[in-house]
Amino acid sequence: MKIATTFGDLVKYNNGNYVEAVTLMGETPFRYLDFSFYDMTGKPNHPFMQENWKEIIHAIKQRADELGMEFVQAHL
């Protein structure tokens, strides 16, 4: 079994910086992260609602790879 945690709430404490949130999670024992997108619902200014959303996602994935972390689906 892969023990995972969501890091969506941590982003709120980093001024919306997802890469920094992944970096902070890299300091924990967790190697598997659940990527929750629920926080962008109804927020047209959310980073993932912008034209450069793919660049943001790729930067997050790159940092996770550097830290040996994987994104998994941990919740229904």
Side-chain angles (χ1 to χ4, degrees):
M1 174 170 45
K2 296 177 180 178
I3 306 298
T5 188
T6 186
F7 76 106
D9 291 332
L10 186 58
V11 173
K12 295 174 189 175
Y13 300 104
N14 290 312
N15 297 317
N17 189 326
Y18 285 83
V19 175
E20 179 64 21
V22 171
T23 300
L24 291 173
M25 289 305 301
E27 297 174 10
T28 72
F30 292 103
R31 296 296 96 194
Y32 301 99
L33 299 174
D34 178 70
F35 204 132
S36 176
F37 294 97
Y38 72 87
D39 67 325
M40 70 182 206
T41 305
K43 297 179 183 175
N45 294 327
H46 191 280
F48 298 144
M49 302 299 282
Q50 307 305 311
E51 290 187 28
N52 67 333
W53 68 270
K54 287 183 183 180
E55 295 170 22
I56 298 167
I57 292 289
H58 287 292
I60 295 166
K61 174 70 166 101
Q62 179 179 350
R63 185 64 181 138
D65 288 346
E66 292 167 358
L67 296 169
M69 304 180 89
E70 289 182 51
F71 290 100
V72 296
Q73 182 64 47
H75 304 280
L76 293 176

PDB file of all heavy atoms in Angstrom, residues 41-57:
ATOM      1  N   THR A  41     -12.228  25.626  -7.608  1.00  0.00           N
ATOM      2  CA  THR A  41     -13.625  25.712  -8.001  1.00  0.00           C
ATOM      3  C   THR A  41     -14.171  27.129  -7.770  1.00  0.00           C
ATOM      4  O   THR A  41     -14.070  27.661  -6.671  1.00  0.00           O
ATOM      5  CB  THR A  41     -14.468  24.696  -7.203  1.00  0.00           C
ATOM      6  OG1 THR A  41     -13.907  23.400  -7.389  1.00  0.00           O
ATOM      7  CG2 THR A  41     -15.902  24.696  -7.672  1.00  0.00           C
ATOM      8  N   GLY A  42     -14.698  27.712  -8.810  1.00  0.00           N
ATOM      9  CA  GLY A  42     -15.297  29.034  -8.717  1.00  0.00           C
ATOM     10  C   GLY A  42     -14.297  30.170  -8.558  1.00  0.00           C
ATOM     11  O   GLY A  42     -14.683  31.267  -8.162  1.00  0.00           O
ATOM     12  N   LYS A  43     -13.030  29.920  -8.878  1.00  0.00           N
ATOM     13  CA  LYS A  43     -12.005  30.957  -8.729  1.00  0.00           C
ATOM     14  C   LYS A  43     -11.338  31.228 -10.082  1.00  0.00           C
ATOM     15  O   LYS A  43     -10.356  30.578 -10.441  1.00  0.00           O
ATOM     16  CB  LYS A  43     -10.964  30.515  -7.710  1.00  0.00           C
ATOM     17  CG  LYS A  43     -11.528  30.335  -6.320  1.00  0.00           C
ATOM     18  CD  LYS A  43     -10.462  29.869  -5.355  1.00  0.00           C
ATOM     19  CE  LYS A  43     -11.060  29.624  -3.990  1.00  0.00           C
ATOM     20  NZ  LYS A  43     -10.082  29.058  -3.071  1.00  0.00           N
ATOM     21  N   PRO A  44     -11.856  32.170 -10.841  1.00  0.00           N
ATOM     22  CA  PRO A  44     -11.309  32.421 -12.178  1.00  0.00           C
ATOM     23  C   PRO A  44      -9.865  32.927 -12.166  1.00  0.00           C
ATOM     24  O   PRO A  44      -9.177  32.822 -13.178  1.00  0.00           O
ATOM     25  CB  PRO A  44     -12.245  33.476 -12.764  1.00  0.00           C
ATOM     26  CG  PRO A  44     -12.948  34.079 -11.607  1.00  0.00           C
ATOM     27  CD  PRO A  44     -12.986  33.042 -10.519  1.00  0.00           C
ATOM     28  N   ASN A  45      -9.370  33.425 -11.044  1.00  0.00           N
ATOM     29  CA  ASN A  45      -7.986  33.895 -10.967  1.00  0.00           C
ATOM     30  C   ASN A  45      -7.016  32.820 -10.473  1.00  0.00           C
ATOM     31  O   ASN A  45      -5.833  33.101 -10.293  1.00  0.00           O
ATOM     32  CB  ASN A  45      -7.894  35.124 -10.052  1.00  0.00           C
ATOM     33  CG  ASN A  45      -8.617  36.313 -10.641  1.00  0.00           C
ATOM     34  OD1 ASN A  45      -8.666  36.479 -11.857  1.00  0.00           O
ATOM     35  ND2 ASN A  45      -9.187  37.132  -9.793  1.00  0.00           N
ATOM     36  N   HIS A  46      -7.520  31.633 -10.233  1.00  0.00           N
ATOM     37  CA  HIS A  46      -6.665  30.537  -9.770  1.00  0.00           C
ATOM     38  C   HIS A  46      -5.585  30.250 -10.825  1.00  0.00           C
ATOM     39  O   HIS A  46      -5.852  30.345 -12.025  1.00  0.00           O
ATOM     40  CB  HIS A  46      -7.507  29.282  -9.530  1.00  0.00           C
ATOM     41  CG  HIS A  46      -6.782  28.201  -8.816  1.00  0.00           C
ATOM     42  ND1 HIS A  46      -5.908  27.365  -9.452  1.00  0.00           N
ATOM     43  CD2 HIS A  46      -6.786  27.838  -7.513  1.00  0.00           C
ATOM     44  CE1 HIS A  46      -5.409  26.518  -8.578  1.00  0.00           C
ATOM     45  NE2 HIS A  46      -5.922  26.788  -7.387  1.00  0.00           N
ATOM     46  N   PRO A  47      -4.362  29.900 -10.399  1.00  0.00           N
ATOM     47  CA  PRO A  47      -3.289  29.641 -11.364  1.00  0.00           C
ATOM     48  C   PRO A  47      -3.649  28.598 -12.428  1.00  0.00           C
ATOM     49  O   PRO A  47      -3.221  28.717 -13.570  1.00  0.00           O
ATOM     50  CB  PRO A  47      -2.138  29.145 -10.491  1.00  0.00           C
ATOM     51  CG  PRO A  47      -2.390  29.713  -9.151  1.00  0.00           C
ATOM     52  CD  PRO A  47      -3.889  29.801  -9.015  1.00  0.00           C
ATOM     53  N   PHE A  48      -4.438  27.604 -12.070  1.00  0.00           N
ATOM     54  CA  PHE A  48      -4.789  26.569 -13.040  1.00  0.00           C
ATOM     55  C   PHE A  48      -5.899  26.988 -13.990  1.00  0.00           C
ATOM     56  O   PHE A  48      -6.259  26.245 -14.892  1.00  0.00           O
ATOM     57  CB  PHE A  48      -5.164  25.264 -12.345  1.00  0.00           C
ATOM     58  CG  PHE A  48      -4.044  24.685 -11.535  1.00  0.00           C
ATOM     59  CD1 PHE A  48      -4.302  24.037 -10.347  1.00  0.00           C
ATOM     60  CD2 PHE A  48      -2.733  24.776 -11.949  1.00  0.00           C
ATOM     61  CE1 PHE A  48      -3.278  23.506  -9.590  1.00  0.00           C
ATOM     62  CE2 PHE A  48      -1.698  24.249 -11.209  1.00  0.00           C
ATOM     63  CZ  PHE A  48      -1.973  23.611 -10.018  1.00  0.00           C
ATOM     64  N   MET A  49      -6.424  28.177 -13.801  1.00  0.00           N
ATOM     65  CA  MET A  49      -7.438  28.715 -14.698  1.00  0.00           C
ATOM     66  C   MET A  49      -6.828  29.736 -15.665  1.00  0.00           C
ATOM     67  O   MET A  49      -7.542  30.382 -16.416  1.00  0.00           O
ATOM     68  CB  MET A  49      -8.566  29.369 -13.887  1.00  0.00           C
ATOM     69  CG  MET A  49      -9.259  28.433 -12.909  1.00  0.00           C
ATOM     70  SD  MET A  49     -10.051  27.031 -13.704  1.00  0.00           S
ATOM     71  CE  MET A  49     -11.514  27.820 -14.327  1.00  0.00           C
ATOM     72  N   GLN A  50      -5.509  29.866 -15.638  1.00  0.00           N
ATOM     73  CA  GLN A  50      -4.804  30.818 -16.487  1.00  0.00           C
ATOM     74  C   GLN A  50      -4.241  30.108 -17.724  1.00  0.00           C
ATOM     75  O   GLN A  50      -4.161  28.887 -17.779  1.00  0.00           O
ATOM     76  CB  GLN A  50      -3.675  31.498 -15.708  1.00  0.00           C
ATOM     77  CG  GLN A  50      -4.121  32.132 -14.400  1.00  0.00           C
ATOM     78  CD  GLN A  50      -5.260  33.119 -14.579  1.00  0.00           C
ATOM     79  OE1 GLN A  50      -5.207  33.997 -15.428  1.00  0.00           O
ATOM     80  NE2 GLN A  50      -6.309  32.970 -13.770  1.00  0.00           N
ATOM     81  N   GLU A  51      -3.818  30.886 -18.699  1.00  0.00           N
ATOM     82  CA  GLU A  51      -3.304  30.320 -19.953  1.00  0.00           C
ATOM     83  C   GLU A  51      -2.020  29.528 -19.757  1.00  0.00           C
ATOM     84  O   GLU A  51      -1.738  28.604 -20.521  1.00  0.00           O
ATOM     85  CB  GLU A  51      -3.088  31.423 -20.979  1.00  0.00           C
ATOM     86  CG  GLU A  51      -4.397  32.002 -21.496  1.00  0.00           C
ATOM     87  CD  GLU A  51      -4.176  32.976 -22.629  1.00  0.00           C
ATOM     88  OE1 GLU A  51      -3.174  32.854 -23.359  1.00  0.00           O
ATOM     89  OE2 GLU A  51      -5.029  33.868 -22.785  1.00  0.00           O
ATOM     90  N   ASN A  52      -1.226  29.861 -18.748  1.00  0.00           N
ATOM     91  CA  ASN A  52       0.055  29.177 -18.538  1.00  0.00           C
ATOM     92  C   ASN A  52      -0.062  28.018 -17.547  1.00  0.00           C
ATOM     93  O   ASN A  52       0.939  27.587 -16.975  1.00  0.00           O
ATOM     94  CB  ASN A  52       1.099  30.170 -18.053  1.00  0.00           C
ATOM     95  CG  ASN A  52       0.803  30.714 -16.672  1.00  0.00           C
ATOM     96  OD1 ASN A  52      -0.354  30.782 -16.259  1.00  0.00           O
ATOM     97  ND2 ASN A  52       1.833  31.110 -15.949  1.00  0.00           N
ATOM     98  N   TRP A  53      -1.244  27.458 -17.380  1.00  0.00           N
ATOM     99  CA  TRP A  53      -1.452  26.396 -16.402  1.00  0.00           C
ATOM    100  C   TRP A  53      -0.566  25.189 -16.654  1.00  0.00           C
ATOM    101  O   TRP A  53      -0.107  24.543 -15.712  1.00  0.00           O
ATOM    102  CB  TRP A  53      -2.925  25.996 -16.338  1.00  0.00           C
ATOM    103  CG  TRP A  53      -3.447  25.321 -17.573  1.00  0.00           C
ATOM    104  CD1 TRP A  53      -4.016  25.918 -18.653  1.00  0.00           C
ATOM    105  CD2 TRP A  53      -3.436  23.927 -17.846  1.00  0.00           C
ATOM    106  NE1 TRP A  53      -4.358  24.991 -19.597  1.00  0.00           N
ATOM    107  CE2 TRP A  53      -4.014  23.751 -19.122  1.00  0.00           C
ATOM    108  CE3 TRP A  53      -2.997  22.809 -17.155  1.00  0.00           C
ATOM    109  CZ2 TRP A  53      -4.161  22.499 -19.709  1.00  0.00           C
ATOM    110  CZ3 TRP A  53      -3.142  21.552 -17.735  1.00  0.00           C
ATOM    111  CH2 TRP A  53      -3.727  21.409 -19.001  1.00  0.00           C
ATOM    112  N   LYS A  54      -0.287  24.873 -17.923  1.00  0.00           N
ATOM    113  CA  LYS A  54       0.558  23.709 -18.219  1.00  0.00           C
ATOM    114  C   LYS A  54       1.973  23.909 -17.704  1.00  0.00           C
ATOM    115  O   LYS A  54       2.594  22.972 -17.200  1.00  0.00           O
ATOM    116  CB  LYS A  54       0.585  23.421 -19.721  1.00  0.00           C
ATOM    117  CG  LYS A  54      -0.690  22.821 -20.252  1.00  0.00           C
ATOM    118  CD  LYS A  54      -0.563  22.491 -21.724  1.00  0.00           C
ATOM    119  CE  LYS A  54      -1.864  21.961 -22.264  1.00  0.00           C
ATOM    120  NZ  LYS A  54      -1.765  21.633 -23.690  1.00  0.00           N
ATOM    121  N   GLU A  55       2.494  25.111 -17.817  1.00  0.00           N
ATOM    122  CA  GLU A  55       3.842  25.403 -17.305  1.00  0.00           C
ATOM    123  C   GLU A  55       3.900  25.193 -15.793  1.00  0.00           C
ATOM    124  O   GLU A  55       4.880  24.659 -15.270  1.00  0.00           O
ATOM    125  CB  GLU A  55       4.238  26.838 -17.645  1.00  0.00           C
ATOM    126  CG  GLU A  55       4.389  27.094 -19.123  1.00  0.00           C
ATOM    127  CD  GLU A  55       4.555  28.576 -19.445  1.00  0.00           C
ATOM    128  OE1 GLU A  55       4.968  29.344 -18.549  1.00  0.00           O
ATOM    129  OE2 GLU A  55       4.253  28.948 -20.580  1.00  0.00           O
ATOM    130  N   ILE A  56       2.853  25.623 -15.108  1.00  0.00           N
ATOM    131  CA  ILE A  56       2.788  25.461 -13.662  1.00  0.00           C
ATOM    132  C   ILE A  56       2.762  23.981 -13.291  1.00  0.00           C
ATOM    133  O   ILE A  56       3.511  23.536 -12.414  1.00  0.00           O
ATOM    134  CB  ILE A  56       1.557  26.192 -13.092  1.00  0.00           C
ATOM    135  CG1 ILE A  56       1.657  27.697 -13.374  1.00  0.00           C
ATOM    136  CG2 ILE A  56       1.410  25.931 -11.599  1.00  0.00           C
ATOM    137  CD1 ILE A  56       0.371  28.456 -13.129  1.00  0.00           C
ATOM    138  N   ILE A  57       1.932  23.218 -13.965  1.00  0.00           N
ATOM    139  CA  ILE A  57       1.830  21.779 -13.697  1.00  0.00           C
ATOM    140  C   ILE A  57       3.165  21.090 -13.956  1.00  0.00           C
ATOM    141  O   ILE A  57       3.610  20.251 -13.163  1.00  0.00           O
ATOM    142  CB  ILE A  57       0.716  21.132 -14.559  1.00  0.00           C
ATOM    143  CG1 ILE A  57      -0.652  21.629 -14.113  1.00  0.00           C
ATOM    144  CG2 ILE A  57       0.798  19.616 -14.525  1.00  0.00           C
ATOM    145  CD1 ILE A  57      -1.117  21.110 -12.771  1.00  0.00           C
TER     146      ILE A  57
END
